[in-house]
Amino acid sequence: MLPVYLLVSHETWTPLVWLFGVTWALGEFVLLVGGESGGLFALLVWVVGLLPPCLGVLVVTTGGELLLRRFDLSNPLRV
């Protein structure tokens, strides 16, 4: 929900790329878990172990994109 909000409200594209990457990685992770543990264990690992670093990456990349948009990069030397 947060990446879609950032895309719509601030017109940033990095959250959309982040959402695609995280969805793909989670799909691969769930497919790699065999019958030895189950879906509840995979969900617990996702929420406790993988979600905080993924949200950190989202914050850093979106913040970087917003900071780069604030600066005028068309004339970096201001001549």
Side-chain angles (χ1 to χ4, degrees), residues 26 29 38-52:
L26 180 61
F29 177 73
L40 188 59
F41 176 72
L43 182 63
L44 180 67
V45 167
W46 166 251
V47 170
V48 173
L50 299 176
L51 187 61

Side-chain angles (χ1 to χ4, degrees), residues 22-43 45-46 50:
V22 168
T23 303
W24 177 79
L26 180 61
E28 287 290 323
F29 177 73
V30 168
L31 290 175
L32 287 176
V33 173
E36 69 272 1
S37 60
L40 188 59
F41 176 72
L43 182 63
V45 167
W46 166 251
L50 299 176

